[in-house]
PDB file of all heavy atoms in Angstrom:
ATOM      1  N   THR I 163      39.181 -17.197 -32.115  1.00  0.00           N
ATOM      2  CA  THR I 163      38.713 -17.479 -33.424  1.00  0.00           C
ATOM      3  C   THR I 163      39.893 -17.728 -34.375  1.00  0.00           C
ATOM      4  O   THR I 163      40.837 -16.951 -34.347  1.00  0.00           O
ATOM      5  CB  THR I 163      37.896 -16.343 -34.002  1.00  0.00           C
ATOM      6  OG1 THR I 163      36.730 -16.111 -33.197  1.00  0.00           O
ATOM      7  CG2 THR I 163      37.430 -16.572 -35.437  1.00  0.00           C
ATOM      8  N   ASP I 164      39.900 -18.821 -35.066  1.00  0.00           N
ATOM      9  CA  ASP I 164      41.026 -19.152 -35.963  1.00  0.00           C
ATOM     10  C   ASP I 164      40.677 -18.724 -37.393  1.00  0.00           C
ATOM     11  O   ASP I 164      39.603 -18.991 -37.876  1.00  0.00           O
ATOM     12  CB  ASP I 164      41.384 -20.626 -35.891  1.00  0.00           C
ATOM     13  CG  ASP I 164      40.261 -21.516 -36.322  1.00  0.00           C
ATOM     14  OD1 ASP I 164      39.180 -21.464 -35.664  1.00  0.00           O
ATOM     15  OD2 ASP I 164      40.414 -22.235 -37.302  1.00  0.00           O
ATOM     16  N   LEU I 165      41.671 -18.075 -38.046  1.00  0.00           N
ATOM     17  CA  LEU I 165      41.519 -17.583 -39.375  1.00  0.00           C
ATOM     18  C   LEU I 165      42.705 -17.979 -40.195  1.00  0.00           C
ATOM     19  O   LEU I 165      43.850 -17.733 -39.825  1.00  0.00           O
ATOM     20  CB  LEU I 165      41.364 -16.064 -39.367  1.00  0.00           C
ATOM     21  CG  LEU I 165      40.136 -15.528 -38.621  1.00  0.00           C
ATOM     22  CD1 LEU I 165      40.350 -14.026 -38.267  1.00  0.00           C
ATOM     23  CD2 LEU I 165      38.892 -15.726 -39.437  1.00  0.00           C
ATOM     24  N   ALA I 166      42.482 -18.572 -41.356  1.00  0.00           N
ATOM     25  CA  ALA I 166      43.590 -18.936 -42.247  1.00  0.00           C
ATOM     26  C   ALA I 166      44.071 -17.688 -42.991  1.00  0.00           C
ATOM     27  O   ALA I 166      43.253 -16.935 -43.466  1.00  0.00           O
ATOM     28  CB  ALA I 166      43.127 -20.012 -43.269  1.00  0.00           C
ATOM     29  N   PHE I 167      45.382 -17.472 -43.065  1.00  0.00           N
ATOM     30  CA  PHE I 167      45.809 -16.295 -43.708  1.00  0.00           C
ATOM     31  C   PHE I 167      47.258 -16.310 -44.221  1.00  0.00           C
ATOM     32  O   PHE I 167      47.672 -15.384 -44.914  1.00  0.00           O
ATOM     33  CB  PHE I 167      45.640 -15.060 -42.825  1.00  0.00           C
ATOM     34  CG  PHE I 167      46.747 -14.864 -41.832  1.00  0.00           C
ATOM     35  CD1 PHE I 167      47.460 -13.692 -41.778  1.00  0.00           C
ATOM     36  CD2 PHE I 167      47.056 -15.840 -40.877  1.00  0.00           C
ATOM     37  CE1 PHE I 167      48.477 -13.469 -40.871  1.00  0.00           C
ATOM     38  CE2 PHE I 167      48.033 -15.648 -39.937  1.00  0.00           C
ATOM     39  CZ  PHE I 167      48.772 -14.456 -39.904  1.00  0.00           C
ATOM     40  N   GLU I 168      48.066 -17.285 -43.974  1.00  0.00           N
ATOM     41  CA  GLU I 168      49.484 -17.226 -44.351  1.00  0.00           C
ATOM     42  C   GLU I 168      50.074 -18.590 -44.645  1.00  0.00           C
ATOM     43  O   GLU I 168      49.466 -19.639 -44.304  1.00  0.00           O
ATOM     44  CB  GLU I 168      50.286 -16.548 -43.284  1.00  0.00           C
ATOM     45  CG  GLU I 168      50.679 -15.123 -43.559  1.00  0.00           C
ATOM     46  CD  GLU I 168      51.492 -14.898 -44.824  1.00  0.00           C
ATOM     47  OE1 GLU I 168      51.825 -15.896 -45.518  1.00  0.00           O
ATOM     48  OE2 GLU I 168      51.812 -13.778 -45.159  1.00  0.00           O
ATOM     49  N   THR I 169      51.230 -18.599 -45.270  1.00  0.00           N
ATOM     50  CA  THR I 169      51.994 -19.813 -45.502  1.00  0.00           C
ATOM     51  C   THR I 169      53.460 -19.475 -45.230  1.00  0.00           C
ATOM     52  O   THR I 169      53.960 -18.458 -45.685  1.00  0.00           O
ATOM     53  CB  THR I 169      51.828 -20.323 -46.940  1.00  0.00           C
ATOM     54  OG1 THR I 169      50.491 -20.610 -47.192  1.00  0.00           O
ATOM     55  CG2 THR I 169      52.638 -21.609 -47.085  1.00  0.00           C
ATOM     56  N   ALA I 170      54.138 -20.323 -44.423  1.00  0.00           N
ATOM     57  CA  ALA I 170      55.551 -20.169 -44.163  1.00  0.00           C
ATOM     58  C   ALA I 170      56.301 -21.271 -44.914  1.00  0.00           C
ATOM     59  O   ALA I 170      55.764 -22.404 -45.081  1.00  0.00           O
ATOM     60  CB  ALA I 170      55.860 -20.223 -42.708  1.00  0.00           C
ATOM     61  N   TYR I 171      57.520 -20.981 -45.327  1.00  0.00           N
ATOM     62  CA  TYR I 171      58.271 -21.911 -46.178  1.00  0.00           C
ATOM     63  C   TYR I 171      59.598 -22.323 -45.527  1.00  0.00           C
ATOM     64  O   TYR I 171      60.280 -21.525 -44.952  1.00  0.00           O
ATOM     65  CB  TYR I 171      58.538 -21.238 -47.542  1.00  0.00           C
ATOM     66  CG  TYR I 171      57.253 -20.939 -48.261  1.00  0.00           C
ATOM     67  CD1 TYR I 171      56.629 -19.719 -48.104  1.00  0.00           C
ATOM     68  CD2 TYR I 171      56.644 -21.887 -49.116  1.00  0.00           C
ATOM     69  CE1 TYR I 171      55.423 -19.418 -48.757  1.00  0.00           C
ATOM     70  CE2 TYR I 171      55.447 -21.582 -49.766  1.00  0.00           C
ATOM     71  CZ  TYR I 171      54.888 -20.388 -49.575  1.00  0.00           C
ATOM     72  OH  TYR I 171      53.683 -20.116 -50.187  1.00  0.00           O
ATOM     73  N   SER I 172      59.871 -23.655 -45.631  1.00  0.00           N
ATOM     74  CA  SER I 172      61.076 -24.193 -45.046  1.00  0.00           C
ATOM     75  C   SER I 172      61.701 -25.160 -46.029  1.00  0.00           C
ATOM     76  O   SER I 172      61.044 -25.756 -46.852  1.00  0.00           O
ATOM     77  CB  SER I 172      60.752 -24.938 -43.734  1.00  0.00           C
ATOM     78  OG  SER I 172      60.197 -24.056 -42.814  1.00  0.00           O
ATOM     79  N   LEU I 173      63.016 -25.321 -45.905  1.00  0.00           N
ATOM     80  CA  LEU I 173      63.787 -26.219 -46.745  1.00  0.00           C
ATOM     81  C   LEU I 173      64.433 -27.298 -45.875  1.00  0.00           C
ATOM     82  O   LEU I 173      65.204 -26.959 -44.987  1.00  0.00           O
ATOM     83  CB  LEU I 173      64.850 -25.440 -47.504  1.00  0.00           C
ATOM     84  CG  LEU I 173      65.756 -26.222 -48.462  1.00  0.00           C
ATOM     85  CD1 LEU I 173      64.973 -26.825 -49.590  1.00  0.00           C
ATOM     86  CD2 LEU I 173      66.829 -25.312 -49.014  1.00  0.00           C
ATOM     87  N   ASP I 174      64.104 -28.528 -46.130  1.00  0.00           N
ATOM     88  CA  ASP I 174      64.790 -29.646 -45.365  1.00  0.00           C
ATOM     89  C   ASP I 174      66.174 -29.785 -45.958  1.00  0.00           C
ATOM     90  O   ASP I 174      66.370 -29.815 -47.160  1.00  0.00           O
ATOM     91  CB  ASP I 174      63.990 -30.938 -45.599  1.00  0.00           C
ATOM     92  CG  ASP I 174      62.672 -30.958 -44.841  1.00  0.00           C
ATOM     93  OD1 ASP I 174      62.590 -30.214 -43.873  1.00  0.00           O
ATOM     94  OD2 ASP I 174      61.741 -31.659 -45.297  1.00  0.00           O
ATOM     95  N   VAL I 175      67.184 -29.904 -45.066  1.00  0.00           N
ATOM     96  CA  VAL I 175      68.526 -29.930 -45.462  1.00  0.00           C
ATOM     97  C   VAL I 175      69.006 -31.420 -45.429  1.00  0.00           C
ATOM     98  O   VAL I 175      69.027 -31.994 -44.356  1.00  0.00           O
ATOM     99  CB  VAL I 175      69.430 -29.090 -44.531  1.00  0.00           C
ATOM    100  CG1 VAL I 175      70.933 -29.212 -44.881  1.00  0.00           C
ATOM    101  CG2 VAL I 175      68.963 -27.630 -44.564  1.00  0.00           C
ATOM    102  N   PRO I 176      69.468 -31.986 -46.557  1.00  0.00           N
ATOM    103  CA  PRO I 176      70.017 -33.321 -46.524  1.00  0.00           C
ATOM    104  C   PRO I 176      71.390 -33.339 -45.815  1.00  0.00           C
ATOM    105  O   PRO I 176      72.209 -32.417 -46.059  1.00  0.00           O
ATOM    106  CB  PRO I 176      70.166 -33.690 -47.998  1.00  0.00           C
ATOM    107  CG  PRO I 176      70.176 -32.384 -48.719  1.00  0.00           C
ATOM    108  CD  PRO I 176      69.449 -31.386 -47.905  1.00  0.00           C
ATOM    109  N   SER I 177      71.651 -34.296 -44.987  1.00  0.00           N
ATOM    110  CA  SER I 177      72.888 -34.376 -44.259  1.00  0.00           C
ATOM    111  C   SER I 177      74.015 -34.712 -45.233  1.00  0.00           C
ATOM    112  O   SER I 177      73.809 -35.174 -46.350  1.00  0.00           O
ATOM    113  CB  SER I 177      72.809 -35.462 -43.176  1.00  0.00           C
ATOM    114  OG  SER I 177      72.730 -36.728 -43.787  1.00  0.00           O
ATOM    115  N   ALA I 178      75.231 -34.443 -44.784  1.00  0.00           N
ATOM    116  CA  ALA I 178      76.431 -34.834 -45.590  1.00  0.00           C
ATOM    117  C   ALA I 178      76.406 -36.304 -45.881  1.00  0.00           C
ATOM    118  O   ALA I 178      76.755 -36.725 -47.017  1.00  0.00           O
ATOM    119  CB  ALA I 178      77.686 -34.372 -44.860  1.00  0.00           C
TER     120      ALA I 178
END
Side-chain angles (χ1 to χ4, degrees):
T163 299
D164 61 300
L165 298 161
F167 82 122
E168 258 299 359
T169 302
Y171 298 90
S172 301
L173 179 64
D174 291 334
V175 178
S177 69

